[in-house]
Amino acid sequence: MSLELFLNATSPYARVARICAKEKGFGERLKLRWVDPWTDDEALLEANPHAKVPTLRTSEGITISETLLIAHYLDSTGSGPPLLPADNLAEVMHGVGLGMGLIDSAFQLSIARRYADLDDPDRSVLGRRRLASIERGLATLEAETAPRHRYADDVHLTLDDIVIGVALDYLRLRFQELEWESRCPALTAWEDARLSRRSFKESAFT
Ligand SMILES: N[C@@H](CCC(=O)N[C@@H](CS)C(=O)NCC(=O)O)C(=O)O
């Protein structure tokens, strides 16, 4: 029996889960259930009362929400090298945290722009905090990019590569005006290589 992943095409969280599934060899065994989490989609609500993507339904019919838990499940049950390797677990988790922080800040501000009843969400207290967090996160990643040289297509990815790669592409999608590339040349080169990988290309934001 196959797994089902509830997702939409612009969710950075869902894209992380989808790339994990690709990297772990699920291929056609992962059935994609495209939904709009912002409408009360009945199938999604049945799978996840919080109506969030990604949500995974296992072949036993158990639903799992929260991106990093889904990543852990796919890593444990899929094939191929680990996304969370035991031999450098702390280093990988460090990167996952940096990438998730970036995704969370960017997503929250993006949602505030769309849904919050504010004249200028970017200049609200929360908006300014999120933008500052994005800038600090980028500066930290830029400073740490030098040792991050594992991006050829024949090298396997770990979860930090996936989360950071998706986070940066989400900034390109929603925050073009930040022009982060001009301040982060090493990170830009890293990201460009990352986006050329098959699992990233096949899951591109649309
Ligand atoms: N903490 C969750 C966040 C997931 C999330 O917020 N997903 C967004 C799409 S990018 C969503 O489904 N939002 C619908 C809503 O908040 O009602 C995770 O890590 O998976």
Side-chain angles (χ1 to χ4, degrees):
M1 218 164 110
S2 59
L3 291 87
E4 280 183 323
L5 182 69
F6 291 85
L7 76 170
N8 74 353
T10 53
S11 166
Y13 302 99
R15 188 173 178 197
V16 167
R18 198 174 166 202
I19 293 174
C20 288
K22 286 177 183 294
E23 295 290 340
K24 291 300 289 188
F26 283 91
E28 299 297 308
R29 279 190 296 145
L30 185 79
K31 195 174 154 206
L32 301 180
R33 295 282 305 262
W34 297 98
V35 291
D36 179 353
W38 299 99
T39 62
D40 289 331
D41 183 282
E42 273 184 35
L44 177 61
L45 278 172
E46 194 220 314
N48 179 351
H50 303 295
K52 296 215 168 147
V53 295
T55 295
L56 183 76
R57 181 177 281 125
T58 70
S59 50
E60 299 84 21
I62 298 169
T63 51
I64 304 174
S65 54
E66 293 298 318
T67 304
L68 295 183
L69 296 178
I70 292 171
H72 179 57
Y73 179 82
L74 295 170
D75 195 25
S76 307
T77 56
S79 57
L83 299 176
L84 286 166
D87 56 357
N88 62 340
L89 191 59
E91 190 198 338
V92 170
M93 286 185 164
H94 167 78
V96 171
L98 288 177
M100 236 353 151
L102 211 49
I103 290 180
D104 285 342
S105 290
F107 175 68
Q108 285 164 16
L109 184 52
S110 172
I111 289 311
R113 285 176 177 178
R114 191 166 157 193
Y115 291 108
D117 194 10
L118 295 169
D119 285 340
D120 189 352
D122 287 25
R123 297 188 65 80
S124 68
V125 174
L126 284 179
R128 280 186 277 120
R129 286 189 67 80
R130 297 302 170 254
L131 284 167
S133 138
I134 290 171
E135 287 303 332
R136 287 192 304 264
L138 285 168
T140 303
L141 284 171
E142 174 68 9
E144 293 186 5
T145 299
R148 238 175 241 291
H149 279 299
R150 296 163 284 145
Y151 28 75
D153 205 41
D154 55 351
V155 177
H156 73 267
L157 298 188
T158 46
L159 189 56
D160 51 344
D161 298 312
I162 296 172
V163 176
I164 295 168
V166 168
L168 295 172
D169 203 33
Y170 186 67
L171 289 182
R172 285 182 174 167
L173 177 74
R174 295 283 191 234
F175 293 87
Q176 272 174 11
E177 75 282 3
L178 291 184
E179 296 182 344
W180 63 267
E181 292 94 335
S182 61
R183 297 183 295 294
C184 305
L187 200 53
T188 301
W190 182 88
E191 175 67 354
D192 289 344
R194 172 66 50 254
L195 293 179
S196 69
R197 194 176 172 93
R198 197 162 145 196
S199 57
F200 273 78
K201 274 200 217 160
E202 290 178 351
S203 63
F205 293 125
T206 53

